Each structure stands twice: as C-alpha cells, then as structure tokens.
Amino acid sequence: MTNSQLLFIAIALISVLAQIQAFTTPVAFRSTHIQPPSRLYQNTIHKVPDDDDTSIPFLDPTSNGFIECYADSIAIVDGIEYTIGNPCDTSVSLCYFDKGDNLVPIDLDDPMMDKIFPLCASIVEDEFGEELVLERTPQTLTLVGELEEEDDEEEDDEDDEDDDVSDEEEEVEILLSFEEEDVEYVLVRLLDPVLLVGKASEDENQHKCILLSEDEADKIMPALEKMFLEYQEEIDSKSS
C-alpha cells in the first residue's frame, strides 16, 4: 500500500470521524475458560476533544523523520492503541502536468521527488522568505507557516468550478508553479483533510506515535474502516 493510497483511505474516513464520540465492538473469547472482562478483548474508538491542541510527533521508523500532528481520534484494536491524527502544518503535494494535461502527484518515494523537491523548496524560500518553509515530512509534504486564506467570494467561484469534479478526485489549490526540463510542476495545498494513523510508542516517557509500516497498514486499516462503517450505520439507524 503506497503513501498515496494511505492518504486516500484516510481522507475517505474523515466524514465519519467528525461524528465519533465512542464506539465499542465486543470480540468473542476463544477460550472456553471464564475470563474477566478486559479492554484487550474490545475494539474501541473515541473522539479527542476539539479543544485539545497538543501536538504529537508521528515518527517514521524507516527514516527517523517525523511529522507533528493533532490527535483526532484514538482507537484500540486487539489491545493495541492507535492514534488518528491530522498534521499541524499545511499538507501539500508536488505534482506535474502530463501530456494529457492531467495533474499527477509525485509519490514521496519516487526518485523524481529527490530531484524536484529541492528545487521547489528553494522557490518557496525565494517567494515567501522566512514566512513559509517546505518540509519533506513522512507520508505528506508540509508547508510550515501561515498561509493566507482565500476570501469568501473567491471560494464561491471555485466551488462552482468544482461541481464538475468527480468524487474520486481530490480538491487542491495551486500555490506556485515552475518548469524544469520542459515539464510544468506545481505545489498544491490539499483542501481535503489528511489523516495519519500511528500506534502508541513503547517508550512511556515520550508521548509519540509510530507511523504504520505497509504491512501494518494492510492489516489495521480494514479493521478501522469496518469500525467506522459500523458506527455510521448505527448513527443512521438512530436518526431514521
């Protein structure tokens, strides 16, 4: 599962996460012996209060890089705690236009990123000085600093243009563009929320999360998605 796929799955779940307060799915005991109730035998998820602005480093164990996130929700699956967080800084993506004039994102692990990222980071520095810094953070690039928000009139115009965008296409805002070897590259802000999943660190003295490996993501993301969907069905049934 690639970083782009992880982001797509995470973004697809945001509408459910916004409603979550608490949800529990009991898991049947396999042993025939009577055992006391334990959280290890429950899958739970709860929403973190909106006013909790504590930043948590999500560490990439393969590169030792990290990305600061605010906790959105905390889930416990098979006794393991996972934090679902959104980046503290602005999530951005480097893209290019192909021959069909389609906007194609560059994956973080693509060799093209090694070549284009330094160029873009230099352009950001020239354009914005110390106000903005482009960071090559794990799972999504981030732009550190305050971006100016668009006024309501411009947003309304863009909303009208976005009516023709399919549900599978991600909404973006182009921040800057440049050419390299006759190819046009753009840095875009991701307008859809970006969610990352990390498991609790074994170091109790440090409050941090460890980003999932591809194998771990393949195992845990379907379980999380199932929990979200079951919760959504319960919400829908109560409101009908």
Side-chain angles (χ1 to χ4, degrees):
M1 182 178 291
T2 65
N3 290 324
S4 298
Q5 290 173 319
L6 290 177
L7 288 177
F8 178 79
I9 294 174
I11 291 171
L13 299 175
I14 185 62
S15 60
V16 181
L17 282 172
Q19 306 176 54
I20 292 177
Q21 297 299 324
F23 178 65
T24 302
T25 305
V27 177
F29 293 112
R30 294 183 179 181
S31 172
T32 56
H33 299 288
I34 297 177
Q35 301 186 38
S38 170
R39 289 182 65 84
L40 293 178
Y41 295 95
Q42 293 180 332
N43 290 344
T44 64
I45 188 166
H46 69 271
K47 177 82 171 164
V48 174
D50 292 335
D51 58 357
D52 187 343
D53 58 357
T54 303
S55 63
I56 303 171
F58 278 50
L59 178 67
D60 181 358
T62 61
S63 66
N64 287 327
F66 66 93
I67 179 170
E68 294 283 347
C69 293
Y70 298 122
D72 183 278
S73 303
I74 295 176
I76 296 178
V77 180
D78 295 334
I80 300 177
E81 180 178 300
Y82 298 90
T83 299
I84 302 163
N86 53 77
C88 299
D89 299 304
T90 304
S91 297
V92 295
S93 178
L94 261 174
C95 309
Y96 66 92
F97 286 100
D98 63 13
K99 293 182 179 180
D101 220 19
N102 299 306
L103 193 61
V104 181
I106 303 174
D107 194 84
L108 295 180
D109 298 328
D110 193 316
M112 186 186 300
M113 182 66 73
D114 296 330
K115 176 182 178 181
I116 300 303
F117 177 84
L119 294 175
C120 188
S122 178
I123 293 173
V124 169
E125 183 178 5
D126 292 341
E127 291 271 346
F128 302 99
E130 297 180 354
E131 294 181 6
L132 295 173
V133 177
L134 182 62
E135 297 282 353
R136 192 170 180 177
T137 42
Q139 297 204 9
T140 177
L141 301 179
T142 50
L143 202 55
V144 181
E146 294 294 329
L147 277 175
E148 293 183 2
E149 297 294 334
E150 298 178 343
D151 58 39
D152 294 338
E153 185 174 335
E154 290 180 353
E155 289 181 357
D156 291 340
D157 292 339
E158 289 188 358
D159 288 341
D160 292 338
E161 294 176 0
D162 291 337
D163 289 341
D164 295 331
V165 176
S166 69
D167 293 338
E168 295 182 357
E169 293 181 344
E170 186 176 349
E171 293 186 21
V172 300
E173 174 194 351
I174 295 178
L175 301 176
L176 60 84
S177 63
F178 59 97
E179 285 193 8
E180 176 67 17
E181 296 180 354
D182 297 326
V183 177
E184 183 180 2
Y185 296 92
V186 293
L187 180 67
V188 301
R189 169 163 49 180
L190 305 179
L191 300 181
D192 290 330
V194 172
L195 296 176
L196 306 180
V197 179
K199 60 183 179 181
S201 170
E202 296 180 358
D203 187 350
E204 297 181 355
N205 296 323
Q206 295 186 5
H207 191 197
K208 62 182 179 182
C209 295
I210 309 300
L211 288 167
L212 305 182
S213 66
E214 290 187 10
D215 289 341
E216 289 173 325
D218 288 340
K219 294 177 182 178
I220 190 61
M221 293 305 290
L224 287 175
E225 184 175 8
K226 181 180 179 181
M227 292 169 64
F228 298 148
L229 292 176
E230 288 179 347
Y231 178 81
Q232 183 63 56
E233 290 176 359
E234 183 174 302
I235 292 297
D236 293 341
S237 64
K238 289 181 179 180
S239 60
S240 60

